[in-house]
Amino acid sequence: MNGQLRTGLDPANNSEKLAIVADSSDLLFYAALALLPVDGTVAGVPLPYWTPLSPWFFLAYALVNARLLRVVVRRYLAFMLLPFLLVLVSFYGWTTVGFHGWAAARSIGSVVLGLACLASLEIALRIKRLPWKPMVTVLVATYGVAFLAGMVQWAGVQWHVAGIKQFFARLMYRNYTWQRPQFLFAEPSYIGMHLFGVLLPVYWLTKDRRVAVVIPVFALGSLLMGAGTRIVIDVVVAGVLWLAASINFRRRGATIGAVSGIGVMVAGGVAAVFLDPRLSKLASDGLLKGDQSMSARIFHMLAPAWAWTHDLWHTLFGWGAGNISNAVRTGYWGARRWYDARGGLVNGEIRGLENPPTDTFTMSAYVSFVTEFGALAMLLVVLLVVAFLTVNHAWNRTTVCWLVLVAYLYVQFEAYGFYALVLLVWGAKRLDTQRPDAKVPRLVVDTNRIHRVV
């Protein structure tokens, strides 16, 4: 297969004339797609470090199509039971540490929202068999609008247009547009999450050339407009993994091209270190002293992780959903002494973690998850994903690169309801249904009821 995904999302499966929607509820699914990049505005509901709209539309779509959820639950039973498991393991932390209702609800609710996205993909694309091309059209259009918003923000910064700055200051929940483009994301560092956690997998699944245009244009534009340092690193990592997944190494010319491409990516990353002031300072002064934002991110992760080293039982079973602030408070001074001894930059954000608010974040899915639910639950989720890929015969070169990319992206992103991991899990099931020996029921959809036709 030369590392290529074999999925049901290919032109052959969309050759027949299919209705864009099977019933009016499908408009909710399209609305969710249209709002995917809008995850940092005041219109959204605040969740751990983002304010998205799409997850709520995915949830509404799944609930409206509740009659089909039994099919989804049967196919993804282990994942659908995950929220109940997380509530169960949280009782240890809730009874020994404390209980913060709103923070706990946001954590467990975010997991539910992620599963709602998984259910929505299964209902729309596999059960109802809606055509994927209109969906990709919506994605291309909405990320195009997000990119244009970033260009407007960049123009406001370059030419000091007060009206543009004031407009986005009112629109964005956390505003960065006074100094660099934020697009419509919660912060500029989330650009790579969308480009390589959403759009690149969509390209791998559909091979739609329009997506192949949007990704490099958005990435290159972000680099040229100086949207941040993480997008530079993300582009290098994603570029290397894309080449590793796409090139047919059985052909000598392709292999030489791949090696050359990886060399160019690495050279570009090295060049960026010298050309980008923030990257250059990070390289010369270190992660703890080179940049205020980076040092604050590291300390957000370091404080709860320091608490792990002194509390085995809570490390294994978690402090409980919503109790990250308790772990941060416990580990703060130990982490602070280690941090200060190495000359780490200290600002008001870091000082405020001495007595953190209940909605404290870590900026890392791994640190947040282990802190709330424990290392054993984290290990279980990893084994669950690996087992699911194995059972569904989804392993190949592209899947390995995809898994590595997803694992990398969540290092500095903690939203449990984000779509990158969900797409990987759903993509594995799509792979299984395309095996020659797989028996997949055909579904005929009308606006009133769904008949199973074997």
Side-chain angles (χ1 to χ4, degrees):
M1 290 173 61
N2 296 326
Q4 300 299 321
L5 295 176
R6 292 191 304 164
T7 74
L9 301 181
D10 58 25
N13 287 354
N14 278 263
S15 58
E16 55 182 318
K17 295 295 183 180
L18 298 175
I20 294 179
V21 297
D23 55 69
S24 58
S25 71
D26 296 326
L27 296 176
L28 291 170
F29 184 78
Y30 280 98
L33 296 181
L35 293 169
L36 275 182
V38 187
D39 68 15
T41 67
V42 294
V45 177
L47 293 172
Y49 221 76
W50 67 329
T51 56
L53 291 165
S54 290
W56 303 101
F57 282 93
F58 283 130
L59 178 63
Y61 182 69
L63 293 176
V64 169
N65 289 279
R67 66 192 185 281
L68 302 177
L69 285 178
R70 61 181 179 85
V71 180
V72 177
V73 170
R74 186 170 68 248
R75 293 173 181 170
Y76 302 94
L77 179 60
F79 291 98
M80 294 301 165
L81 292 176
L82 190 57
F84 301 101
L85 173 65
L86 298 182
V87 169
L88 183 63
V89 300
S90 290
F91 273 101
Y92 174 70
W94 290 340
T95 56
T96 58
V97 175
F99 178 73
H100 306 294
W102 175 235
R106 294 205 308 173
S107 289
I108 300 296
S110 293
V111 176
V112 173
L113 290 173
L115 294 174
C117 177
L118 176 62
S120 297
L121 289 171
E122 188 72 3
I123 290 170
L125 279 158
R126 187 161 186 264
I127 298 178
K128 291 188 176 183
R129 298 183 66 186
L130 299 181
W132 59 264
K133 285 188 176 180
M135 299 177 189
V136 174
T137 300
V138 172
L139 283 178
V140 170
T142 190
Y143 278 97
V145 170
F147 183 73
L148 290 176
M151 292 183 65
V152 172
Q153 294 165 358
W154 177 79
V157 173
Q158 289 295 111
W159 294 303
H160 309 288
V161 183
I164 293 177
K165 294 181 180 180
Q166 291 169 2
F167 172 79
F168 284 103
R170 290 192 294 267
L171 178 66
M172 307 308 294
Y173 188 76
R174 295 181 179 90
N175 182 42
Y176 294 80
T177 61
W178 59 274
Q179 63 175 160
R180 53 196 168 115
Q182 184 178 357
F183 303 95
L184 298 174
F185 307 137
E187 67 165 49
S189 65
Y190 293 178
I191 300 169
M193 291 296 301
H194 284 272
L195 294 187
F196 309 123
V198 176
L199 291 181
L200 182 56
V202 168
Y203 172 72
W204 275 333
L205 288 167
T206 66
K207 294 297 183 287
D208 193 298
R209 294 180 180 179
R210 294 172 296 174
V211 182
V213 172
V214 171
I215 296 172
V217 169
F218 209 126
L220 182 60
S222 301
L223 294 172
L224 293 176
M225 290 187 287
T229 57
R230 182 177 173 181
I231 185 59
V232 178
I233 303 171
D234 289 352
V235 166
V236 174
V237 172
V240 170
L241 290 171
W242 172 76
L243 284 171
S246 303
I247 299 299
N248 181 1
F249 288 99
R250 294 177 182 176
R251 297 174 56 188
R252 183 177 179 182
T255 302
I256 295 174
V259 173
S260 302
I262 292 174
V264 170
M265 289 288 181
V266 174
V270 173
V273 171
F274 293 99
L275 297 175
D276 184 273
R278 290 182 67 190
L279 284 175
S280 180
K281 192 167 178 57
L282 283 169
S284 61
D285 297 345
L287 296 178
L288 299 182
K289 297 183 287 186
D291 182 79
Q292 289 275 0
S293 176
M294 178 61 71
S295 59
R297 285 171 180 267
I298 291 174
F299 195 86
H300 271 285
M301 292 183 271
L302 181 63
W306 194 270
W308 303 351
T309 63
H310 298 85
D311 193 332
L312 175 62
W313 292 110
H314 281 112
T315 301
L316 291 176
F317 299 104
W319 274 256
N323 287 348
I324 290 177
S325 60
N326 297 84
V328 170
R329 188 179 296 109
T330 300
Y332 178 83
W333 279 112
R336 181 68 185 273
R337 284 190 293 271
W338 182 93
Y339 185 83
D340 290 346
R342 285 154 182 80
L345 295 175
V346 178
N347 55 21
E349 184 177 349
I350 291 177
R351 294 188 187 95
L353 293 179
E354 180 181 356
N355 187 27
T358 55
D359 61 349
T360 296
F361 52 89
T362 72
M363 294 300 291
S364 170
Y366 304 107
V367 176
S368 291
F369 198 90
V370 171
T371 301
E372 292 191 278
F373 307 114
L376 293 180
M378 183 77 241
L379 178 62
L380 178 63
V381 172
V382 172
L383 292 176
L384 180 59
V385 172
V386 172
F388 192 79
L389 293 172
T390 302
V391 169
N392 287 282
H393 309 278
W395 288 110
N396 58 43
R397 181 151 40 93
T398 301
T399 308
V400 171
C401 293
W402 188 356
L403 180 60
V404 172
L405 181 59
V406 168
Y408 158 77
L409 290 172
Y410 279 101
V411 170
Q412 286 192 58
F413 188 83
E414 65 177 324
Y416 302 148
F418 195 71
Y419 327 101
L421 182 59
V422 168
L423 271 170
L424 175 64
V425 171
W426 183 81
K429 193 68 178 178
R430 295 297 301 180
L431 287 169
D432 183 53
T433 62
Q434 293 307 301
R435 289 186 295 116
D437 60 336
K439 296 180 179 179
V440 184
R442 181 171 60 87
L443 296 172
V444 180
V445 183
D446 60 35
T447 56
N448 299 313
R449 57 183 178 173
I450 293 183
H451 301 279
R452 178 180 290 273
V453 182
V454 181

